[in-house]
Amino acid sequence: MLNNTHNPKAKSWVAIPENSDFPIQNLPYGIFSSKDNPQKRIGVAIGDHILDLEKVGHHLSVKDKKVFSTDVLNDFMALGKEVHQKVRQDIFELLSEGNKTIGIESLTHQNDVTLYLPVRIGDYTDFYSSEEHATNVGIMFRGKDNALMPNWKHIPVGYHGRASSIVVSGTDLHRPKGQKMPPNAESPVYGPSSRMDIELEMAFVVGKSTELGDTVEADNAEDYIFGMMLFNDWSARDIQKWEYVPLGPFLGKNFGSTVSPWVVTLEALAPFRTSGPEQSPTPLSYLQTSGPKAFDIQLEVSLQAEGLAPQVICNSNFKYLYWSMSQQLAHQTVNGCNLNIGDMCASGTISGPTKNSFGSLLELTWNGTEPITLSDGTERTFLEDNDTVIMKGWCEKDGVRIGFGEAKGKILPSK
Amino acid sequence: MLNNTHNPKAKSWVAIPENSDFPIQNLPYGIFSSKDNPQKRIGVAIGDHILDLEKVGHHLSVKDKKVFSTDVLNDFMALGKEVHQKVRQDIFELLSEGNKTIGIESLTHQNDVTLYLPVRIGDYTDFYSSEEHATNVGIMFRGKDNALMPNWKHIPVGYHGRASSIVVSGTDLHRPKGQKMPPNAESPVYGPSSRMDIELEMAFVVGKSTELGDTVEADNAEDYIFGMMLFNDWSARDIQKWEYVPLGPFLGKNFGSTVSPWVVTLEALAPFRTSGPEQSPTPLSYLQTSGPKAFDIQLEVSLQAEGLAPQVICNSNFKYLYWSMSQQLAHQTVNGCNLNIGDMCASGTISGPTKNSFGSLLELTWNGTEPITLSDGTERTFLEDNDTVIMKGWCEKDGVRIGFGEAKGKILPSK
């Protein structure tokens, strides 16, 4: 349901630079500290600034104002959608053109802050919901005829990932070492990964818990989703390939995953709701939903080699995903598995139908056989040391751009 | 290193019933509340009683006594091995025969308490470290010639599991529903699992954290392990079979796992250290250890159908595991994956060489083809509704029995 906070004509008294991700219609939540106040607290991005909710808490429809002075969003998320809607409305009014209730003393410039991982993550699930990605990987490793596994069109396939190593954008990661089986070798070897890859994903954050044994109906699943972020599921393909049979990826993934610092709420995304791909065969009834459950979110990946400018290597869209977040969450709980506030679910690599929309280097370079040429003429199949990857995402309609900021990380040499 | 707390002749002034799991040489930690004090707090099991550490904290070598009044062991674990050793020594002395420092007012009978999940679990990893189990499953699903995957003897194979649904012994679980592909069917169906199984495992709890990018040397890995528990990795085989390719088990496992309430420290287990199976081929150097890293822990599984007495269906031993906990932890961190205090790592099903030592119904009934006969003449292939499974474990030597209590749970009908 749209309301006045979605009005594309709405303006803020805070100057919003052109192409900013954070107009008054967005209002994403994050955790920050500033030069003048090293205490972590909740902020809302507005243009190039952050509205400090600790400072303006007395204007917001929340009883216990301490919730704005915490170092993660979990307690705030626990207040429930009704409160979140009121707070969004409150903030929208405080920042609206003409409103003089608060002034620039409640804002901090984003250049003067440190942003943190915004949620205390309970469990983290990674899905595998792009048909194009699953097909591409399937063709490379099993041939065209067996590309998609028999379960893929029936199940939003997913697996548990590592929560401890999810880091906020800007955190550099060391190239992981591990065990791998070189082609045609007889024994595995130990060493740094030589096939360092990215996966362009988005993640949602669970904002409402369930009890063990409870299930979430697919059509109610969005009640359990607080918001979304960009997610880079860094992958060491050589380590992954040797380890993943039969129990799935482990050390090829869990050395680090990067999320963007701002949680964009489902409410902010409401105007960009759309239908996902048609599903055939029809999924089992517990996976059926009514109405559009996808979102039209444009995605972009840039690779920045040391000393060069960032170079766009992929343009994709969240709406390409075959399985919706609602279906993922219904599936995750169909067996009674309980959800905690702060749980994170990532989409899986979001690849589109054309080659420039593939969401991993594995696909973009077709398993390393078709290198990407950089602006200085050098080539990339997988990531080199000191390569930086920047993921961006935004919705755009009626002159309004709801953006996610960025998920950025550099691969440092192995320790 | 053994010290006076391991002396098999040591006695307590607390009466220890014959065959108790909790003599003065054990001293495992748990979280409890009692009829007269509903506040959760740390206790130590001694015979049929619990020593209330909140009450005796002023006698223990810990500066901040509040650590004993918390609802999980995490803050206590964070104090480090040196403190834990002192506290063990303190408690040993307080409870030693002839010591009059404290009396029965510091004890609560175990009949009068509620026990809780003793740790706040961060991430949970499930390994797959029994050669016999991996081979049995491999033979059933891929035939004798391809039973063990090529990586199995090189890697302590593991995967991430769900932390939110790990419950303490005594918590009943509903039979999970989900999607499964019946034999010879063309489409999957939705319904309760009809192949409900157990997995006899043990888990260790991480008591020391690492930073992202750090690795743990195999020979130092025990410094990071606080203690061990019994672990039942309930498994819905039909759900698991349909979902697990290519990313591993998910809903077939994450509806619930049961742990025993007492954490037995590695110190208490020191006298039962032994060597594991010989490893051939020699693992890569990061997985090599010196000295015995296995523990001689006898394990027993009983099945109790409604109205019948518990019936032992499996006797196994922790020492059968091919990969040690030290190797598991070195592998888990070889890529820089960070550990948090409270992380839990389970062993994988612990099967031995003989049929009565197989740690799952899948193996015990050889994929349902060789049913178990119960005392009333009825049969079991997989679990029926209202079946209870009880796992026990203990070490025994020189008249001392260091036990783990039990991991017990009942399968209720589907919700």
Side-chain angles (χ1 to χ4, degrees):
Chain A
M1 285 222 305
L2 301 190
N3 56 39
N4 67 322
T5 69
H6 299 104
N7 180 358
K9 299 220 164 77
K11 301 264 183 245
S12 175
W13 55 263
V14 182
I16 310 294
E18 208 177 346
N19 276 323
S20 170
D21 278 348
F22 309 121
I24 193 168
Q25 293 86 354
N26 191 348
L27 307 177
Y29 296 96
I31 298 291
F32 78 108
S33 68
S34 49
K35 285 179 192 163
D36 60 332
N37 180 358
Q39 183 80 29
K40 291 187 195 177
R41 54 205 195 269
I42 300 185
V44 163
I46 179 79
D48 286 343
H49 289 80
I50 294 175
L51 176 66
D52 186 337
L53 295 203
E54 191 175 71
K55 281 191 182 161
V56 303
H58 51 291
H59 297 297
L60 305 178
S61 304
V62 166
K63 272 184 203 152
D64 185 358
K65 313 298 184 190
K66 271 185 301 200
V67 78
F68 299 119
S69 305
T70 49
D71 61 355
V72 284
L73 294 174
N74 294 52
D75 289 348
F76 177 67
M77 294 194 290
L79 297 176
K81 288 248 172 185
E82 218 172 297
V83 172
H84 300 150
Q85 272 162 11
K86 282 187 196 157
V87 171
R88 176 176 164 87
Q89 188 71 47
D90 295 338
I91 295 173
F92 180 85
E93 282 166 21
L94 287 175
L95 293 175
S96 284
E97 204 169 45
N99 191 308
K100 309 258 188 223
T101 314
I102 60 165
I104 52 165
E105 72 287 348
S106 303
L107 301 177
T108 306
H109 198 280
Q110 288 181 29
N111 289 342
D112 300 327
V113 308
T114 305
L115 295 169
Y116 301 92
L117 189 66
V119 290
R120 185 178 54 248
I121 302 166
D123 282 292
Y124 154 54
T125 298
D126 194 23
F127 286 96
Y128 187 58
S129 289
S130 155
E131 182 175 1
E132 290 82 356
H133 171 68
T135 304
N136 287 337
V137 174
I139 291 172
M140 275 181 247
F141 294 116
R142 290 180 300 273
K144 224 166 188 164
D145 295 336
N146 302 303
L148 272 193
M149 288 292 177
N151 59 11
W152 200 91
K153 290 231 165 174
H154 299 282
I155 290 180
V157 170
Y159 67 105
H160 295 296
R162 183 88 187 175
S164 73
S165 52
I166 297 177
V167 296
V168 73
S169 178
T171 310
D172 298 335
L173 296 168
H174 289 274
R175 179 180 297 269
K177 295 190 215 171
Q179 196 176 132
K180 43 201 188 158
M181 179 65 100
N184 308 315
E186 294 208 342
S187 314
V189 297
Y190 166 83
S193 169
S194 54
R195 289 166 68 91
M196 265 299 300
D197 199 356
I198 56 162
E199 293 197 339
L200 168 62
E201 306 198 10
M202 294 198 74
F204 67 82
V205 180
V206 170
K208 185 176 172 182
S209 61
T210 66
E211 293 295 316
L212 192 62
D214 287 352
T215 57
V216 172
E217 304 269 329
D219 264 332
N220 299 333
E222 289 185 356
D223 293 346
Y224 294 79
I225 299 175
F226 179 75
M228 295 177 67
M229 304 150 93
L230 300 163
F231 193 94
N232 183 356
D233 180 23
W234 304 94
S235 299
R237 298 297 179 196
D238 39 5
I239 295 172
Q240 184 184 347
K241 190 177 180 192
W242 174 231
E243 74 176 355
Y244 90 103
V245 174
L247 300 180
F250 186 50
L251 299 180
K253 302 276 193 175
N254 66 14
F255 56 90
S257 314
T258 301
V259 291
S260 51
W262 296 108
V263 186
V264 176
T265 62
L266 281 203
E267 274 187 272
L269 296 170
F272 307 94
R273 198 176 275 283
T274 186
S275 295
E278 203 180 322
Q279 296 188 316
S280 173
T282 304
L284 285 170
S285 60
Y286 79 92
L287 292 169
Q288 292 172 19
T289 52
S290 52
K293 299 291 183 198
F295 293 89
D296 182 2
I297 306 171
Q298 300 179 55
L299 299 167
E300 179 188 280
V301 183
S302 299
L303 172 59
Q304 181 171 25
E306 213 175 3
L308 298 183
Q311 173 172 338
V312 174
I313 58 170
C314 163
N315 283 288
S316 188
N317 195 305
F318 184 73
K319 72 179 178 188
Y320 293 146
L321 289 176
Y322 188 86
W323 296 103
S324 68
M325 296 185 286
S326 296
Q327 292 175 313
Q328 290 168 348
L329 207 52
H331 186 63
Q332 167 86 69
T333 60
V334 67
N335 67 345
C337 179
N338 54 330
L339 302 174
N340 284 317
I341 290 170
D343 287 347
M344 198 171 274
C345 295
S347 58
T349 310
I350 306 168
S351 293
T354 55
K355 182 163 174 176
N356 73 331
S357 64
F358 294 169
S360 65
L361 290 169
L362 182 70
E363 296 163 87
L364 288 165
T365 70
W366 209 254
N367 201 16
T369 60
E370 301 170 18
I372 292 170
T373 304
L374 301 184
S375 61
D376 67 348
T378 60
E379 293 185 334
R380 283 293 181 280
T381 48
F382 293 95
L383 296 174
E384 301 288 334
D385 286 347
N386 300 309
D387 280 353
T388 297
V389 175
I390 306 151
M391 296 183 173
K392 294 187 180 181
W394 65 92
C395 310
E396 213 152 19
K397 197 164 123 182
D398 301 329
V400 174
R401 174 187 166 110
I402 301 290
F404 287 79
E406 60 184 29
K408 179 177 177 173
K410 186 194 271 196
I411 295 300
L412 303 175
S414 274
K415 260 193 181 176
Chain B
M1 287 222 305
L2 301 190
N3 56 40
N4 66 322
T5 71
H6 299 104
N7 180 358
K9 298 220 165 78
K11 300 266 182 243
S12 175
W13 54 263
V14 182
I16 310 293
E18 207 177 346
N19 276 324
S20 170
D21 278 350
F22 310 120
I24 194 169
Q25 294 84 354
N26 192 347
L27 306 178
Y29 295 96
I31 297 292
F32 77 108
S33 68
S34 50
K35 285 179 192 160
D36 60 332
N37 181 0
Q39 184 80 30
K40 291 185 195 177
R41 54 205 195 271
I42 300 184
V44 164
I46 179 78
D48 286 343
H49 289 79
I50 294 175
L51 177 67
D52 186 338
L53 296 203
E54 192 175 70
K55 282 191 181 162
V56 303
H58 50 293
H59 297 297
L60 305 178
S61 303
V62 167
K63 272 186 203 149
D64 184 358
K65 313 298 183 190
K66 271 186 302 201
V67 79
F68 299 120
S69 305
T70 50
D71 61 356
V72 284
L73 295 175
N74 295 53
D75 289 348
F76 177 67
M77 293 194 291
L79 298 176
K81 288 248 172 184
E82 217 171 299
V83 172
H84 301 149
Q85 272 163 11
K86 282 187 196 156
V87 171
R88 176 177 165 86
Q89 188 71 47
D90 294 339
I91 295 173
F92 181 84
E93 282 166 22
L94 287 174
L95 293 174
S96 284
E97 205 169 44
N99 191 306
K100 309 258 187 222
T101 313
I102 60 167
I104 52 165
E105 72 288 347
S106 304
L107 300 178
T108 306
H109 198 279
Q110 289 182 28
N111 288 342
D112 301 327
V113 307
T114 306
L115 295 169
Y116 301 92
L117 190 66
V119 290
R120 185 177 56 249
I121 303 166
D123 282 291
Y124 154 54
T125 298
D126 193 23
F127 286 95
Y128 187 57
S129 290
S130 154
E131 181 175 3
E132 290 82 356
H133 171 68
T135 303
N136 286 338
V137 174
I139 290 172
M140 274 181 247
F141 294 117
R142 291 180 300 273
K144 224 165 187 164
D145 294 338
N146 302 301
L148 271 194
M149 289 292 179
N151 58 11
W152 199 92
K153 290 232 166 173
H154 299 282
I155 291 180
V157 170
Y159 67 105
H160 295 296
R162 183 88 186 173
S164 72
S165 52
I166 297 177
V167 297
V168 73
S169 178
T171 310
D172 297 336
L173 295 169
H174 289 275
R175 180 180 295 269
K177 294 190 217 173
Q179 197 177 130
K180 43 201 186 160
M181 179 65 100
N184 308 315
E186 293 205 344
S187 314
V189 298
Y190 165 83
S193 169
S194 54
R195 289 166 68 89
M196 264 300 298
D197 200 355
I198 56 162
E199 293 197 339
L200 168 62
E201 307 196 9
M202 294 198 74
F204 67 82
V205 180
V206 170
K208 185 176 173 183
S209 61
T210 65
E211 293 295 316
L212 192 61
D214 287 351
T215 56
V216 172
E217 305 269 328
D219 262 332
N220 299 333
E222 289 184 358
D223 292 347
Y224 294 80
I225 300 175
F226 180 75
M228 295 178 67
M229 304 151 90
L230 300 163
F231 194 94
N232 184 355
D233 180 23
W234 304 94
S235 300
R237 298 296 179 197
D238 38 7
I239 295 172
Q240 183 185 348
K241 190 178 179 191
W242 174 231
E243 75 176 354
Y244 91 103
V245 175
L247 299 181
F250 185 50
L251 299 180
K253 301 277 193 175
N254 66 14
F255 56 90
S257 314
T258 301
V259 290
S260 51
W262 296 107
V263 185
V264 176
T265 62
L266 282 203
E267 272 187 273
L269 296 171
F272 306 95
R273 199 176 274 284
T274 184
S275 295
E278 203 179 325
Q279 297 189 316
S280 172
T282 304
L284 285 169
S285 61
Y286 78 92
L287 292 169
Q288 291 171 21
T289 51
S290 52
K293 299 291 183 197
F295 293 90
D296 182 3
I297 305 171
Q298 299 180 55
L299 300 167
E300 178 189 280
V301 183
S302 298
L303 172 59
Q304 181 171 25
E306 214 175 2
L308 298 184
Q311 172 171 340
V312 174
I313 58 172
C314 162
N315 283 288
S316 189
N317 195 307
F318 184 73
K319 72 179 178 188
Y320 293 146
L321 290 175
Y322 189 85
W323 296 102
S324 68
M325 297 185 286
S326 296
Q327 292 175 314
Q328 291 168 345
L329 206 52
H331 186 64
Q332 167 86 68
T333 59
V334 66
N335 67 345
C337 179
N338 55 330
L339 302 175
N340 284 317
I341 289 170
D343 288 347
M344 199 172 273
C345 295
S347 58
T349 310
I350 306 168
S351 293
T354 55
K355 183 163 173 178
N356 73 331
S357 63
F358 294 169
S360 67
L361 289 169
L362 181 70
E363 296 163 87
L364 287 166
T365 71
W366 207 253
N367 201 17
T369 60
E370 301 170 18
I372 291 169
T373 304
L374 301 184
S375 60
D376 66 349
T378 60
E379 292 185 336
R380 283 293 180 281
T381 49
F382 293 95
L383 296 175
E384 301 289 333
D385 286 347
N386 301 309
D387 279 353
T388 298
V389 174
I390 305 150
M391 294 181 174
K392 295 187 180 180
W394 65 92
C395 309
E396 212 151 21
K397 197 163 121 182
D398 301 328
V400 174
R401 174 187 166 111
I402 300 291
F404 286 80
E406 60 184 29
K408 178 176 178 174
K410 187 195 270 196
I411 295 301
L412 303 174
S414 275
K415 258 194 180 174

